[in-house]
Amino acid sequence: MAYLRCCSSSLSVILSLTTVLSVFATIEVVSGRERFFRVTCTTTGGQALKINVEGINYSSVEQLPVKAVGEPQRIGNDTYYANTRIIAGGNEGDIYQCTASNGVASDKTHATMLKVASSPIIVSLTQTSATSVIVEWSQPSGGATVTGYVVHYSHELDNMTENAPVSSSHLSVSNLCSGFIYIFSVEATSEHLSGESAAS
């Protein structure tokens, strides 16, 4: 009697992690006046396992939680990102570096804090009624790109703000309290550090 022995074979495949092709760093202002901001690191082109951020005036390297946009794929163009905790005290010229790696490859880049080169200057305050004024200002030039304006005004009991679009050079402020003395300033906001006029 003959016996037929059946043998099985197996094939092992080691799947390596897709190379991180590129990493980008951006700075997002949370409050330009108080200089609170966050750095966002984004990688594209492959699976990112680790994203770190470090910088001047930022005492340690921080490993960030990595999040994938969409469903992770072994092969493809996934995008991974991570946000730092909010950082205080950004200064002109500060550099924040993002490094991404996945065990196979790594990449790094940086973002630099830019300041609005010149602050807006209040040109005039024109009272149009007992409870309203028009604030007019000059537009700053150079440095970080201006994304809008914030008009700050206050009296001894309260502080208020109103936003104006980047295309504006004046704003009508109403519902003021008759008999109060108001102090006005204009802040040019940007994606990085802001510039604020002297109070008028």
Side-chain angles (χ1 to χ4, degrees), residues 29 73 118 121 159:
V29 168
Q73 304 169 20
S118 60
I121 298 172
N159 297 300

Side-chain angles (χ1 to χ4, degrees), residues 123-199:
V123 176
S124 65
L125 290 170
T126 306
Q127 187 170 351
T128 55
S129 73
T131 59
S132 62
V133 298
I134 294 176
V135 185
E136 186 177 357
W137 60 87
S138 65
Q139 296 182 347
S141 60
T145 302
V146 175
T147 56
Y149 296 95
V150 182
V151 176
H152 302 274
Y153 55 102
S154 62
H155 55 68
E156 58 188 15
L157 300 177
D158 203 1
N159 297 300
M160 294 140 288
T161 61
E162 289 196 33
N163 296 318
V166 67
S167 58
S168 296
S169 59
H170 66 276
L171 180 71
S172 178
V173 179
S174 56
N175 298 320
L176 302 175
C177 297
S178 180
F180 281 90
I181 296 174
Y182 285 87
I183 297 173
F184 288 83
S185 65
V186 179
E187 176 189 2
T189 61
S190 76
E191 66 273 23
H192 295 167
L193 296 177
S194 302
E196 188 170 350
S197 68

Side-chain angles (χ1 to χ4, degrees), residues 61-148:
V61 177
E62 183 174 355
Q63 183 172 337
L64 308 177
V66 179
K67 302 174 183 178
V69 178
E71 291 296 320
Q73 304 169 20
R74 288 192 180 276
I75 300 174
N77 236 355
D78 294 346
T79 298
Y80 291 80
Y81 68 94
N83 290 328
T84 68
R85 57 185 169 80
I86 294 175
I87 303 169
N91 295 298
E92 169 78 13
D94 281 359
I95 298 173
Y96 289 83
Q97 180 172 278
C98 290
T99 304
S101 62
N102 62 10
V104 175
S106 65
D107 190 22
K108 63 177 61 175
T109 191
H110 66 271
T112 304
M113 294 291 285
L114 295 176
K115 187 177 182 180
V116 175
S118 60
S119 299
I121 298 172
I122 293 181
V123 176
S124 65
L125 290 170
T126 306
Q127 187 170 351
T128 55
S129 73
T131 59
S132 62
V133 298
I134 294 176
V135 185
E136 186 177 357
W137 60 87
S138 65
Q139 296 182 347
S141 60
T145 302
V146 175
T147 56

